[in-house]
Amino acid sequence: MDTYQVPQVLQNIDAHPVPVLLAGAIANTGAYILYIEGIRLGFRHRTYAIPIFANMYFFAHDVLFVSLFSHWFTEVDHWLFRMFWGALLIFAVLECVVHYQTIKFGRQELFPGLTQGQYVVAYSAMQAAIVVLFWFVYSGLGDPLFLLTFSTTIIVAIGWYIPLLLKRRSRKGQSFLLAWGLVLLNGFFFLFLPRMSDAFTAPVYHAIGATTTVVSLVYLWLLTRYPAYAAEHEPRGALS
């Protein structure tokens, strides 16, 4: 599936570098808020703050992007995608921190019937399966600049926070700042993608962006309906 033409995208970026950088900065600020605040909450609440499937999918995306060094620095050879490479290398490190938090604090919530060793094996197998899933998605999209695949990471990220909140019934591992990070991520659909190619002005992309924006705003509202988390609310032994 060919959605956009690479030469056209690169020409559009070079023709309007300032709006492109501003649009990208908004979406990336949302992503960094999401992970930095999530990591802070994870250690503070002794939990994982980034939903497990979302973090694994992000990790699969970013590891593949970073591994394609020659593609970005030799074949595409464009300043914006070299910047993206550096940004996603940092992001992969943040995702590894979330992996650590999930493995250290998440067993009782995710797989209470497993030993820690069994949990690590199961967790690693899940990540491997999601890498294969992401490779399947990437291969089918025909997306040489990862514009569509990054869109899928935003959809996956936003889609898992409401179920996590409903499951925990408190703001454990969640905060209003984190929720605003999710809202800012939607700038990718409305501000960044249209700068890349006219193909992204099609109604389907506006519909996706509108849907994810509504979901992220509903999540923000739902946070007001649930109590702040306090460690004393945990059942005995839940943090072991």
Side-chain angles (χ1 to χ4, degrees):
M1 179 174 68
D2 295 324
T3 303
Y4 57 85
Q5 299 298 316
V6 171
Q8 180 192 45
V9 170
L10 302 183
Q11 290 170 10
N12 288 341
I13 296 170
D14 289 334
H16 307 285
V18 174
V20 166
L21 285 172
L22 288 175
I26 291 172
N28 277 295
T29 296
Y32 276 105
I33 288 174
L34 183 67
Y35 264 79
I36 293 173
E37 172 68 356
I39 289 171
R40 183 189 74 84
L41 290 168
F43 284 120
R44 182 177 181 182
H45 294 172
R46 295 179 60 81
T47 189
Y48 60 94
I50 308 298
I52 180 173
F53 183 85
N55 187 60
M56 287 184 171
Y57 193 84
F58 263 117
F59 185 73
H61 171 277
D62 294 351
V63 166
L64 178 59
F65 191 102
V66 169
S67 70
L68 296 176
F69 180 90
S70 178
H71 175 66
W72 304 117
F73 285 82
T74 303
E75 297 173 19
V76 176
D77 191 26
H78 190 273
W79 58 269
L80 183 64
F81 292 93
R82 292 196 292 269
M83 287 178 61
F84 279 160
W85 186 91
L88 292 186
L89 180 61
I90 295 172
F91 232 93
V93 174
L94 296 178
E95 289 151 4
C96 285
V97 176
V98 174
H99 278 317
Y100 168 79
Q101 291 179 326
T102 309
I103 290 171
K104 183 174 178 62
F105 303 127
R107 178 173 61 88
Q108 289 292 337
E109 182 175 349
L110 295 169
F111 296 104
L114 300 183
T115 66
Q116 186 66 18
Q118 292 169 338
Y119 171 50
V120 171
V121 171
Y123 187 90
S124 301
M126 289 171 61
Q127 178 63 85
I130 291 176
V131 168
V132 174
L133 171 64
F134 179 78
W135 180 260
F136 174 78
V137 171
Y138 170 70
S139 300
L141 286 176
D143 184 24
L145 297 180
F146 273 59
L147 299 175
L148 292 171
T149 53
F150 192 79
S151 302
T152 66
T153 66
I154 295 174
I155 296 168
V156 167
I158 291 174
W160 283 90
Y161 277 89
I162 290 177
L164 187 63
L165 178 63
L166 297 179
K167 175 186 176 183
R168 290 177 171 173
R169 304 193 63 80
S170 76
R171 297 201 298 272
K172 178 181 180 181
Q174 299 172 76
S175 72
F176 293 105
L177 178 58
L178 186 149
W180 279 112
L182 286 177
V183 173
L184 287 176
L185 273 177
N186 293 288
F188 185 81
F189 293 107
F190 297 111
L191 302 175
F192 187 79
L193 281 182
R195 298 283 181 185
M196 299 295 100
S197 169
D198 290 340
F200 295 114
T201 62
V204 63
Y205 296 104
H206 292 307
I208 292 171
T211 300
T212 56
T213 300
V214 168
V215 172
S216 58
L217 290 173
V218 169
Y219 170 66
L220 181 63
W221 173 76
L222 282 173
L223 284 179
T224 68
R225 315 294 295 177
Y226 283 85
Y229 172 73
E232 59 265 24
H233 295 163
E234 283 287 344
R236 185 178 299 275
L239 297 181
S240 61

